[in-house]
Amino acid sequence: MQVKDTIIGIFLMLFSIADYSFSQVVFPERMEGCKTYGFGFESDSTDAKLNSITFIKDLKVHLGEDIVKKMRGKIQLQIIVDTDGSSCLLSVDNKTNVPTEELNLKPWIEENVSWGAPSKQVSAVVVLNFADLGIECKRAGTNKSRGWHYLMNR
């Protein structure tokens, strides 16, 4: 019985590792519930279009004035954008002074953030810097020659 349990345990561990690597999760805080079949990362320009001014304005409303005033640091969001422009928050790297749980980003992004529909499912990386002067929004992509880099909106 112990051998069978050990084999099952090893199989489940390998399956979870394979699932984790297949879905190409970038950041340490992994969110559940995204369909991650065959997406690619943005490379040299933004494939999924997002109006960053509207995004920041809506984010401020979502977070509320108190959190926006006190929040400092950088948060990176890996968002799967489907061909219909819908969003699914896949992973987060939160280097701010407010815990991720308090931000309640996953339901807000998935219910309220719409993108210009890309031709194929894509992983968009949104980098938000919270400072005294406001919120800065950048997009990041990756390719073999440049590695991770900031993208130009085209």
Side-chain angles (χ1 to χ4, degrees), residues 24 29 31-32 52 81 88 95 99-100 111 130 135 153:
Q24 301 173 335
E29 292 181 60
M31 307 292 169
E32 298 299 324
S52 60
V81 182
C88 189
K95 303 284 192 230
T100 305
E111 294 169 14
F130 292 82
I135 303 171
N153 264 334

Side-chain angles (χ1 to χ4, degrees), residues 81-151:
V81 182
D82 214 337
T83 55
D84 63 0
S86 62
S87 303
C88 189
L89 182 60
L90 181 61
S91 69
V92 176
D93 184 24
N94 185 356
K95 303 284 192 230
T96 71
N97 58 340
V98 179
T100 305
E101 301 79 40
E102 286 184 34
L103 302 175
N104 205 26
L105 291 172
K106 185 166 177 68
W108 175 74
I109 286 172
E110 294 176 7
E111 294 169 14
N112 300 292
V113 178
S114 294
W115 302 72
S119 59
K120 62 181 188 270
Q121 189 182 55
V122 67
S123 174
V125 175
V126 177
V127 181
L128 300 167
N129 288 301
F130 292 82
D132 290 337
L133 297 176
I135 303 171
E136 177 187 34
C137 180
K138 295 182 181 180
R139 297 276 291 281
T142 187
N143 61 34
K144 289 180 183 177
S145 62
R146 296 176 65 194
W148 284 102
H149 57 278
Y150 288 114
L151 300 175

Side-chain angles (χ1 to χ4, degrees), residues 4 6 10 16 44-45 113 118 131 144:
K4 183 179 179 183
T6 303
I10 291 171
S16 66
D44 294 315
S45 62
V113 178
K144 289 180 183 177

Side-chain angles (χ1 to χ4, degrees), residues 4-117:
K4 183 179 179 183
D5 290 340
T6 303
I7 291 171
I8 290 172
I10 291 171
F11 176 78
L12 290 174
M13 182 179 70
L14 290 173
F15 181 78
S16 66
I17 291 169
D19 179 53
Y20 185 83
S21 64
F22 174 76
S23 62
Q24 301 173 335
V25 174
V26 176
F27 301 121
E29 292 181 60
R30 181 180 181 170
M31 307 292 169
E32 298 299 324
C34 294
K35 296 175 186 168
T36 57
Y37 52 89
F39 68 82
F41 290 97
E42 293 178 307
S43 178
D44 294 315
S45 62
T46 56
D47 297 324
K49 304 302 179 198
L50 179 69
N51 182 323
S52 60
I53 294 169
T54 301
F55 180 81
I56 290 172
K57 185 181 105 184
D58 293 347
L59 177 63
K60 286 179 177 180
V61 170
H62 166 72
L63 294 176
E65 189 176 330
D66 290 343
I67 289 181
V68 171
K69 280 183 181 178
K70 76 175 182 177
M71 194 166 174
R72 296 295 176 264
K74 177 169 74 172
I75 190 165
Q76 300 180 95
L77 311 170
Q78 180 186 12
I79 302 170
I80 302 301
V81 182
D82 214 337
T83 55
D84 63 0
S86 62
S87 303
C88 189
L89 182 60
L90 181 61
S91 69
V92 176
D93 184 24
N94 185 356
K95 303 284 192 230
T96 71
N97 58 340
V98 179
T100 305
E101 301 79 40
E102 286 184 34
L103 302 175
N104 205 26
L105 291 172
K106 185 166 177 68
W108 175 74
I109 286 172
E110 294 176 7
E111 294 169 14
N112 300 292
V113 178
S114 294
W115 302 72

